[in-house]
Amino acid sequence: MSQVTGCQALGGDMIKEVKIFETTIAGRPFKVEIGKVANLANGSALISYGETVVLVTAVASRKPKLGIDFFPLTVEFEEKLYSVGKIPGGFIKREGRPSERAVLTSRLIDRPIRPLFPKGMKNEVQVVATVLSVDQDCTPDTIAMNGASLALGISDIPFNGPAGAVTVGYVNGQYVLNPTIAEKELSQLNLVVAGTDEAVVMVEAGADILPEDVMLGAIMFGHEAIKEICAFINGIIAEIGKTKFEFAVPEVDEAFQAEINDFLKEKMNQLVRITDKHDRNASLEDLEEELIAHFSESHPDSAEYLKGQFKAIEKTTMRRMIVNESLRPDGRTPSQIRPISCDVSLLPRTHGSGLFTRGLTQALSITTLGALGESQRIDGLDLEETKRYMHHYNFPPYSVGEVGMNRVNRRAVGHGALGERALLPVIPSEQDFPYTIRVVSEVVTCNGSSSQASICGSTLSLLDAGVPIKDSVAGIAMGLIQEDGKIEILSDIQGMEDALGDMDFKVAGTKNGITALQMDIKVDGLNKELLETAMEQARIGRLHILGKMNEVMSAPRSEMSQYAPRVFQIKINPDKIRDVIGPGGKVITRITSAYNVKIDISDDGSVLITANDGIGGEKALAEIQGIVKVPEVGQVYTGKITRILKFGAFVELGHGKEGLCHISQLDHKRVAKVEDVVNIGDEVTVKIIEIDDQGRINVSRKVLLEDNK
């Protein structure tokens, strides 16, 4: 690490010292400038990696936010299209709502840093990462993740970091750190891993059906680089970091806590063992009301405090039951999967549907097929401009028996992207299946692991739609409990275990390997041994789930739904594209309107016709074939007589082409006058017998007639 110190005027008499710190990551320069911009934030850093530049700021309120039971952290990843030399599309020429990629990156930044704030802190904290310049070989997401730890670390905001982050690829059997665009094209893995210098805290990955040992190796490979990043950040913090401000932690009345514990201990121990979720929740609500009523006279105005203590004792009781007795709230053992049922073809008018039920969690997934022209257009910082396969996840409040806003939030976007990543490796290529594919997963009932249920339901839905996916994909969510020095890994976690546990480790894949992975933890981190155990337990659970799915549907239907569109393909000479489109698009517009089809034409001459029914598609195909058809000797046409001269008649061959049928070629017998055989408007069938050097076409009617001489 090298450092350069200078000064910069910020306006008026105000002078701020600028400090520059430099290192290399994956052979590329990584530079941090402190004090150059955004100096009213609690902490800020201008970070450059290659030619990518990201400004990351951290700001906190001095006073805690009252009346909340969570840590109020917000993270914003701001994509600026000027960073890639683009002007925003559409009518409004400024950045508006964040893109899906920006939402996902905001979540990526949030997840590793959230567990590193002190417990009990209720001060609002906002981290903003603004992308100012993008070098496609140095993607800004991990830069922003490292910048968040840096900005928080040098600030006066209490923070137990840093956490570093890297991307790992897998090319030709070798791990690649922060792969370039060219390397990503060849990579079987896109892994983002974050961690402290001691352990891994967050993982997000998409993979091309990789075995568990390769995935584990990639995570540990990334963690070695993270240790160096953390050391670099710690060096900066040691030199210029501010003293952390103190935040208010509620005083603990140990005597009162003991009274609460005595009142709840035995009752809570019985209630967490109720296996039915509805009965357990109702009993817990009754006990909470009983607790508040019991202390209403001796400790008035303590209802909120009592609710917090109730939840804490519920959490400890459940966790101790699991680690000491290997018994879970619903009666399962740690590795046991909830009962599974599968169904397909529930919705008669959709192109494909699948219902996956695991315990109380249900995901109804629906597949819709469309023309390639209906692919999603992407106006973002990446090189990718369209997306042909889409997976969307909806989580309505009724799924958990609540009243609330029915909207797409960051969690829904993240779960949809995870499902998309899980299934993308098995989606057939555009050449093999020329359709745009959209899958929507409606979580109709939820008791944990809904994102993984949506992956299973989507596999069933795709198979039901007749999409020739390469293999079935299933997902499972793993949990972790660390209590009283003991550890238990849980398969197929339910809602209570997710909320009160220490880990949410989602693994999706086929029978042969992993396609997607996502891990979030609430503890300090996971070592290699725990990761290895969790991944192996997940593999066994995934195979069990796949077995249940295969009992219902293991291969795509041979016939698509009668309501699914049909695709017709033709390859034409690129020089003929203008003829199909016509002047001002008149020809292609007429065909699409006449036959109710969509037509996509590529520069190489590939033509795709997507029709709501086969008849319309066949007619459109025939017309395009006629437009691009090059007349050759021996071809037969049926057309109308357009002109008559003394020596013959001109026959319309279609699309602006005419052929001359000489009077001698009208009939076998001698014809004295052309009108004795044909008149203008008559429809005749003729055969091309000659095309001269000037492209003039001569046709014959008589060669197609029986010889009546």
Side-chain angles (χ1 to χ4, degrees):
M1 178 179 71
S2 62
Q3 173 194 333
V4 181
T5 305
C7 292
Q8 178 181 353
L10 298 184
D13 296 329
M14 185 178 178
I15 301 295
K16 178 71 176 180
E17 186 178 49
V18 178
K19 294 201 172 183
I20 300 175
F21 301 87
E22 295 178 295
T23 187
T24 58
I25 302 175
R28 277 159 272 171
F30 186 85
K31 182 171 73 172
V32 175
E33 297 177 81
I34 309 293
K36 191 167 188 175
V37 294
N39 290 300
L40 290 182
N42 294 59
S44 65
L46 189 66
I47 303 175
S48 302
Y49 185 45
E51 293 185 342
T52 295
V53 182
V54 181
L55 171 64
V56 187
T57 61
V59 178
S61 62
R62 285 291 180 174
K63 295 181 180 180
K65 191 170 185 178
L66 302 177
I68 60 172
D69 59 355
F70 61 92
F71 172 48
L73 169 68
T74 58
V75 176
E76 302 291 340
F77 181 80
E78 296 187 333
E79 293 180 321
K80 301 298 184 180
L81 288 181
Y82 56 68
S83 66
V84 288
K86 290 182 181 179
I87 294 175
F91 292 102
I92 301 174
K93 296 300 180 182
R94 67 176 298 158
E95 291 81 2
R97 59 181 295 180
S99 68
E100 184 176 294
R101 171 67 185 272
V103 170
L104 296 175
T105 305
S106 297
R107 283 169 53 86
L108 273 181
I109 300 169
D110 183 302
R111 286 155 49 196
I113 63 175
R114 184 175 289 271
L116 300 178
F117 286 91
K119 290 184 179 179
M121 183 172 169
K122 296 294 187 292
N123 302 63
E124 286 187 286
V125 176
Q126 184 179 45
V127 175
V128 178
T130 306
V131 182
L132 304 176
S133 174
V134 173
D135 170 358
Q136 296 295 347
D137 283 335
C138 302
T139 52
D141 47 5
T142 52
I143 302 172
M145 294 170 75
N146 291 315
S149 275
L150 212 158
L152 288 164
I154 63 174
S155 75
D156 58 350
I157 303 170
F159 180 65
N160 300 324
V166 294
T167 302
V168 179
Y170 189 64
V171 181
N172 297 326
Q174 299 293 323
Y175 297 121
V176 180
L177 188 67
N178 291 352
T180 63
I181 289 293
E183 289 168 333
K184 285 180 180 178
E185 288 290 325
L186 302 173
S187 181
Q188 294 177 268
L189 173 67
N190 182 17
L191 166 70
V192 177
V193 55
T196 64
D197 54 3
E198 295 181 349
V200 175
V201 298
M202 194 278 295
V203 171
E204 183 91 23
D208 190 11
I209 315 178
L210 290 179
E212 277 71 10
D213 60 337
V214 173
M215 185 66 74
L216 179 62
I219 294 171
M220 304 320 298
F221 173 81
H223 189 236
E224 289 302 312
I226 286 170
K227 292 177 184 178
E228 296 180 12
I229 294 172
C230 288
F232 174 67
I233 295 174
N234 277 326
I236 298 174
I237 294 171
E239 183 168 340
I240 64 171
K242 301 175 186 177
T243 302
K244 303 298 183 182
F245 67 72
E246 295 185 1
F247 62 94
V249 178
E251 294 184 5
V252 176
D253 186 338
E254 294 184 0
F256 188 25
Q257 272 193 328
E259 289 183 62
I260 297 170
N261 190 62
D262 288 342
F263 180 83
L264 289 177
K265 185 175 180 181
E266 291 303 321
K267 296 177 181 178
M268 186 68 76
N269 192 41
Q270 295 300 316
L271 296 192
V272 296
R273 297 169 187 271
I274 299 175
T275 57
D276 183 84
K277 178 184 178 181
H278 297 291
D279 293 343
R280 181 173 64 246
N281 287 348
S283 298
L284 287 170
E285 288 176 8
D286 291 344
L287 181 58
E288 185 179 58
E289 292 177 3
E290 185 182 341
L291 172 70
I292 295 170
H294 180 79
F295 289 102
S296 61
E297 292 185 9
S298 60
H299 294 81
D301 302 322
S302 63
E304 291 303 317
Y305 178 77
L306 288 169
K307 289 179 181 179
Q309 290 301 306
F310 182 90
K311 183 58 68 176
I313 292 172
E314 177 190 352
K315 177 178 179 179
T316 302
T317 305
M318 183 209 75
R319 292 161 64 91
R320 286 177 173 167
M321 179 179 73
I322 290 174
V323 297
N324 292 326
E325 304 174 44
S326 293
L327 180 65
R328 299 164 70 173
D330 58 2
R332 286 184 290 154
T333 62
S335 62
Q336 189 173 355
I337 311 296
R338 288 173 288 178
I340 293 171
S341 67
C342 305
D343 201 357
V344 293
S345 299
L346 288 85
L347 308 174
R349 283 276 179 167
T350 63
H351 302 161
S353 58
L355 177 66
F356 180 84
T357 304
R358 180 164 46 196
L360 284 177
T361 298
Q362 289 183 303
L364 175 61
S365 296
I366 299 96
T367 296
T368 307
L369 305 176
L372 288 177
E374 295 180 282
S375 297
Q376 181 181 358
R377 294 183 181 179
I378 300 173
D379 189 16
L381 305 186
D382 293 333
L383 295 176
E384 186 181 29
E385 296 181 347
T386 60
K387 186 163 62 172
R388 171 177 159 258
Y389 170 66
M390 296 159 278
H391 181 268
H392 297 147
Y393 167 102
N394 293 321
F395 189 87
Y398 65 74
S399 66
V400 287
E402 296 178 358
V403 175
M405 293 290 291
N406 196 359
R407 61 186 180 186
V408 179
N409 55 23
R410 286 187 170 189
R411 176 180 176 274
V413 172
H415 284 355
L418 178 62
E420 188 172 292
R421 195 180 305 118
L423 286 157
L424 190 58
V426 301
I427 296 296
S429 69
E430 181 180 311
Q431 291 71 33
D432 294 336
F433 193 72
Y435 288 88
T436 292
I437 307 167
R438 180 182 184 233
V439 179
V440 179
S441 291
E442 307 284 357
V443 177
V444 291
T445 311
C446 182
N447 185 26
S449 302
S450 61
S451 66
Q452 303 308 286
S454 78
I455 292 170
C456 300
S458 296
T459 294
L460 295 170
S461 178
L462 288 164
L463 293 172
D464 184 51
V467 179
I469 59 175
K470 299 170 187 175
D471 205 349
S472 293
V473 177
I476 184 170
M478 309 296 295
L480 173 75
I481 303 292
Q482 289 186 189
E483 191 75 20
D484 297 336
K486 301 175 183 178
I487 296 176
E488 195 72 73
I489 294 176
L490 309 178
S491 296
D492 180 28
I493 56 175
Q494 58 182 313
M496 187 179 191
E497 294 163 341
D498 186 5
L500 305 181
D502 296 321
M503 177 179 77
D504 185 7
F505 188 14
K506 305 178 180 76
V507 186
T510 69
K511 61 182 179 296
N512 296 318
I514 294 172
T515 57
L517 189 149
Q518 186 182 90
M519 183 191 75
D520 296 299
I521 61 172
K522 303 172 189 175
V523 292
D524 293 337
L526 294 184
N527 57 33
K528 181 180 179 180
E529 290 70 26
L530 278 176
L531 276 169
E532 189 171 20
T533 302
M535 291 177 75
E536 175 58 19
Q537 194 166 314
R539 185 187 69 84
I540 295 170
R542 185 174 78 245
L543 293 177
H544 169 77
I545 297 164
L546 283 168
K548 295 293 184 181
M549 293 167 59
N550 287 337
E551 290 175 6
V552 175
M553 180 161 278
S554 59
R557 293 195 187 280
S558 57
E559 295 285 337
M560 292 194 300
S561 165
Q562 62 176 314
Y563 303 110
R566 298 297 188 267
V567 172
F568 300 83
Q569 303 182 66
I570 184 176
K571 189 71 175 282
I572 67 174
N573 187 327
D575 293 338
K576 295 289 184 179
I577 293 176
R578 65 171 67 90
D579 297 330
V580 176
I581 295 175
K586 289 182 179 180
V587 175
I588 197 169
T589 300
R590 178 184 58 77
I591 295 172
T592 56
S593 176
Y595 305 117
N596 191 24
V597 298
K598 294 187 175 102
I599 301 173
D600 297 298
I601 305 178
S602 302
D603 291 340
D604 65 352
S606 298
V607 180
L608 290 176
I609 304 166
T610 308
N612 290 331
D613 62 80
I615 296 175
E618 288 171 356
K619 288 182 177 179
L621 176 64
E623 183 150 350
I624 291 175
Q625 287 174 327
I627 293 173
V628 301
K629 188 175 182 180
V630 178
E632 295 179 359
V633 173
Q635 291 178 347
V636 176
Y637 288 84
T638 298
K640 291 182 179 180
I641 301 297
T642 59
R643 290 182 292 157
I644 293 178
L645 302 175
K646 289 184 178 181
F647 54 83
F650 284 92
V651 182
E652 183 183 47
L653 304 182
H655 309 291
K657 305 180 187 75
E658 286 185 329
L660 172 64
C661 186
H662 192 270
I663 192 169
S664 63
Q665 295 295 325
L666 285 172
D667 206 334
H668 289 295
K669 61 188 178 182
R670 184 179 180 280
V671 177
K673 187 179 179 183
V674 173
E675 288 87 342
D676 292 340
V677 180
V678 294
N679 290 290
I680 292 176
D682 289 351
E683 190 172 83
V684 296
T685 301
V686 295
K687 183 177 182 179
I688 297 176
I689 57 174
E690 181 187 17
I691 302 176
D692 66 19
D693 295 340
Q694 298 181 30
R696 292 177 296 194
I697 303 171
N698 294 314
V699 300
S700 172
R701 176 176 177 267
K702 76 177 183 180
V703 297
L704 298 177
L705 300 174
E706 292 185 9
D707 191 349
N708 295 320
K709 294 186 295 181

PDB file of all heavy atoms in Angstrom, residues 670-684:
ATOM      1  N   ARG A 670     -52.875 -24.265 -82.403  1.00  0.00           N
ATOM      2  CA  ARG A 670     -52.501 -22.940 -82.857  1.00  0.00           C
ATOM      3  C   ARG A 670     -53.520 -21.908 -82.366  1.00  0.00           C
ATOM      4  O   ARG A 670     -54.731 -22.113 -82.420  1.00  0.00           O
ATOM      5  CB  ARG A 670     -52.448 -22.897 -84.402  1.00  0.00           C
ATOM      6  CG  ARG A 670     -51.959 -21.560 -84.962  1.00  0.00           C
ATOM      7  CD  ARG A 670     -51.909 -21.603 -86.490  1.00  0.00           C
ATOM      8  NE  ARG A 670     -51.451 -20.344 -87.025  1.00  0.00           N
ATOM      9  CZ  ARG A 670     -52.197 -19.252 -87.177  1.00  0.00           C
ATOM     10  NH1 ARG A 670     -53.491 -19.305 -86.862  1.00  0.00           N
ATOM     11  NH2 ARG A 670     -51.679 -18.136 -87.681  1.00  0.00           N
ATOM     12  N   VAL A 671     -52.966 -20.772 -81.806  1.00  0.00           N
ATOM     13  CA  VAL A 671     -53.825 -19.707 -81.285  1.00  0.00           C
ATOM     14  C   VAL A 671     -53.711 -18.511 -82.216  1.00  0.00           C
ATOM     15  O   VAL A 671     -52.607 -17.984 -82.441  1.00  0.00           O
ATOM     16  CB  VAL A 671     -53.406 -19.314 -79.851  1.00  0.00           C
ATOM     17  CG1 VAL A 671     -54.265 -18.156 -79.334  1.00  0.00           C
ATOM     18  CG2 VAL A 671     -53.486 -20.512 -78.914  1.00  0.00           C
ATOM     19  N   ALA A 672     -54.840 -18.100 -82.803  1.00  0.00           N
ATOM     20  CA  ALA A 672     -54.831 -16.971 -83.727  1.00  0.00           C
ATOM     21  C   ALA A 672     -54.792 -15.637 -82.982  1.00  0.00           C
ATOM     22  O   ALA A 672     -54.168 -14.676 -83.438  1.00  0.00           O
ATOM     23  CB  ALA A 672     -56.065 -17.036 -84.628  1.00  0.00           C
ATOM     24  N   LYS A 673     -55.456 -15.568 -81.845  1.00  0.00           N
ATOM     25  CA  LYS A 673     -55.568 -14.323 -81.094  1.00  0.00           C
ATOM     26  C   LYS A 673     -55.455 -14.642 -79.602  1.00  0.00           C
ATOM     27  O   LYS A 673     -56.092 -15.589 -79.118  1.00  0.00           O
ATOM     28  CB  LYS A 673     -56.912 -13.669 -81.423  1.00  0.00           C
ATOM     29  CG  LYS A 673     -57.114 -12.280 -80.861  1.00  0.00           C
ATOM     30  CD  LYS A 673     -58.488 -11.731 -81.293  1.00  0.00           C
ATOM     31  CE  LYS A 673     -58.718 -10.364 -80.729  1.00  0.00           C
ATOM     32  NZ  LYS A 673     -60.071  -9.851 -81.081  1.00  0.00           N
ATOM     33  N   VAL A 674     -54.662 -13.847 -78.864  1.00  0.00           N
ATOM     34  CA  VAL A 674     -54.441 -14.114 -77.422  1.00  0.00           C
ATOM     35  C   VAL A 674     -55.764 -14.171 -76.682  1.00  0.00           C
ATOM     36  O   VAL A 674     -55.983 -15.032 -75.811  1.00  0.00           O
ATOM     37  CB  VAL A 674     -53.519 -13.032 -76.822  1.00  0.00           C
ATOM     38  CG1 VAL A 674     -53.417 -13.200 -75.309  1.00  0.00           C
ATOM     39  CG2 VAL A 674     -52.151 -13.078 -77.469  1.00  0.00           C
ATOM     40  N   GLU A 675     -56.693 -13.255 -77.007  1.00  0.00           N
ATOM     41  CA  GLU A 675     -57.968 -13.197 -76.287  1.00  0.00           C
ATOM     42  C   GLU A 675     -58.824 -14.440 -76.502  1.00  0.00           C
ATOM     43  O   GLU A 675     -59.820 -14.634 -75.790  1.00  0.00           O
ATOM     44  CB  GLU A 675     -58.759 -11.956 -76.711  1.00  0.00           C
ATOM     45  CG  GLU A 675     -58.194 -10.635 -76.184  1.00  0.00           C
ATOM     46  CD  GLU A 675     -57.124 -10.065 -77.099  1.00  0.00           C
ATOM     47  OE1 GLU A 675     -56.582 -10.831 -77.935  1.00  0.00           O
ATOM     48  OE2 GLU A 675     -56.801  -8.867 -76.975  1.00  0.00           O
ATOM     49  N   ASP A 676     -58.470 -15.273 -77.487  1.00  0.00           N
ATOM     50  CA  ASP A 676     -59.214 -16.515 -77.660  1.00  0.00           C
ATOM     51  C   ASP A 676     -58.971 -17.484 -76.514  1.00  0.00           C
ATOM     52  O   ASP A 676     -59.778 -18.406 -76.282  1.00  0.00           O
ATOM     53  CB  ASP A 676     -58.817 -17.188 -78.988  1.00  0.00           C
ATOM     54  CG  ASP A 676     -59.265 -16.398 -80.224  1.00  0.00           C
ATOM     55  OD1 ASP A 676     -60.186 -15.566 -80.039  1.00  0.00           O
ATOM     56  OD2 ASP A 676     -58.671 -16.606 -81.282  1.00  0.00           O
ATOM     57  N   VAL A 677     -57.867 -17.280 -75.773  1.00  0.00           N
ATOM     58  CA  VAL A 677     -57.511 -18.195 -74.677  1.00  0.00           C
ATOM     59  C   VAL A 677     -57.637 -17.508 -73.308  1.00  0.00           C
ATOM     60  O   VAL A 677     -58.203 -18.066 -72.370  1.00  0.00           O
ATOM     61  CB  VAL A 677     -56.081 -18.729 -74.873  1.00  0.00           C
ATOM     62  CG1 VAL A 677     -55.690 -19.680 -73.738  1.00  0.00           C
ATOM     63  CG2 VAL A 677     -55.950 -19.417 -76.225  1.00  0.00           C
ATOM     64  N   VAL A 678     -57.100 -16.290 -73.174  1.00  0.00           N
ATOM     65  CA  VAL A 678     -57.117 -15.610 -71.869  1.00  0.00           C
ATOM     66  C   VAL A 678     -57.511 -14.161 -72.048  1.00  0.00           C
ATOM     67  O   VAL A 678     -57.368 -13.576 -73.135  1.00  0.00           O
ATOM     68  CB  VAL A 678     -55.725 -15.671 -71.197  1.00  0.00           C
ATOM     69  CG1 VAL A 678     -55.354 -17.090 -70.826  1.00  0.00           C
ATOM     70  CG2 VAL A 678     -54.648 -15.039 -72.059  1.00  0.00           C
ATOM     71  N   ASN A 679     -58.003 -13.574 -70.951  1.00  0.00           N
ATOM     72  CA  ASN A 679     -58.332 -12.155 -70.897  1.00  0.00           C
ATOM     73  C   ASN A 679     -57.726 -11.543 -69.627  1.00  0.00           C
ATOM     74  O   ASN A 679     -57.363 -12.253 -68.672  1.00  0.00           O
ATOM     75  CB  ASN A 679     -59.845 -11.940 -70.887  1.00  0.00           C
ATOM     76  CG  ASN A 679     -60.475 -12.280 -72.230  1.00  0.00           C
ATOM     77  OD1 ASN A 679     -60.273 -11.554 -73.213  1.00  0.00           O
ATOM     78  ND2 ASN A 679     -61.202 -13.397 -72.280  1.00  0.00           N
ATOM     79  N   ILE A 680     -57.619 -10.233 -69.609  1.00  0.00           N
ATOM     80  CA  ILE A 680     -57.053  -9.557 -68.423  1.00  0.00           C
ATOM     81  C   ILE A 680     -57.875  -9.910 -67.186  1.00  0.00           C
ATOM     82  O   ILE A 680     -59.104  -9.855 -67.194  1.00  0.00           O
ATOM     83  CB  ILE A 680     -57.017  -8.032 -68.639  1.00  0.00           C
ATOM     84  CG1 ILE A 680     -55.995  -7.677 -69.719  1.00  0.00           C
ATOM     85  CG2 ILE A 680     -56.671  -7.297 -67.335  1.00  0.00           C
ATOM     86  CD1 ILE A 680     -55.964  -6.201 -70.071  1.00  0.00           C
ATOM     87  N   GLY A 681     -57.191 -10.280 -66.113  1.00  0.00           N
ATOM     88  CA  GLY A 681     -57.856 -10.660 -64.862  1.00  0.00           C
ATOM     89  C   GLY A 681     -58.015 -12.151 -64.694  1.00  0.00           C
ATOM     90  O   GLY A 681     -58.302 -12.627 -63.579  1.00  0.00           O
ATOM     91  N   ASP A 682     -57.866 -12.916 -65.797  1.00  0.00           N
ATOM     92  CA  ASP A 682     -57.956 -14.372 -65.676  1.00  0.00           C
ATOM     93  C   ASP A 682     -56.782 -14.905 -64.845  1.00  0.00           C
ATOM     94  O   ASP A 682     -55.665 -14.374 -64.881  1.00  0.00           O
ATOM     95  CB  ASP A 682     -57.931 -15.027 -67.045  1.00  0.00           C
ATOM     96  CG  ASP A 682     -59.217 -14.798 -67.826  1.00  0.00           C
ATOM     97  OD1 ASP A 682     -60.179 -14.282 -67.215  1.00  0.00           O
ATOM     98  OD2 ASP A 682     -59.243 -15.125 -69.035  1.00  0.00           O
ATOM     99  N   GLU A 683     -57.056 -15.972 -64.097  1.00  0.00           N
ATOM    100  CA  GLU A 683     -56.002 -16.597 -63.300  1.00  0.00           C
ATOM    101  C   GLU A 683     -55.518 -17.849 -64.031  1.00  0.00           C
ATOM    102  O   GLU A 683     -56.324 -18.712 -64.401  1.00  0.00           O
ATOM    103  CB  GLU A 683     -56.514 -16.968 -61.911  1.00  0.00           C
ATOM    104  CG  GLU A 683     -55.412 -17.391 -60.943  1.00  0.00           C
ATOM    105  CD  GLU A 683     -55.934 -17.561 -59.523  1.00  0.00           C
ATOM    106  OE1 GLU A 683     -56.486 -18.647 -59.238  1.00  0.00           O
ATOM    107  OE2 GLU A 683     -55.811 -16.606 -58.714  1.00  0.00           O
ATOM    108  N   VAL A 684     -54.208 -17.914 -64.233  1.00  0.00           N
ATOM    109  CA  VAL A 684     -53.643 -19.048 -64.965  1.00  0.00           C
ATOM    110  C   VAL A 684     -52.452 -19.603 -64.210  1.00  0.00           C
ATOM    111  O   VAL A 684     -51.826 -18.912 -63.403  1.00  0.00           O
ATOM    112  CB  VAL A 684     -53.213 -18.631 -66.390  1.00  0.00           C
ATOM    113  CG1 VAL A 684     -54.408 -18.196 -67.219  1.00  0.00           C
ATOM    114  CG2 VAL A 684     -52.171 -17.523 -66.337  1.00  0.00           C
TER     115      VAL A 684
END
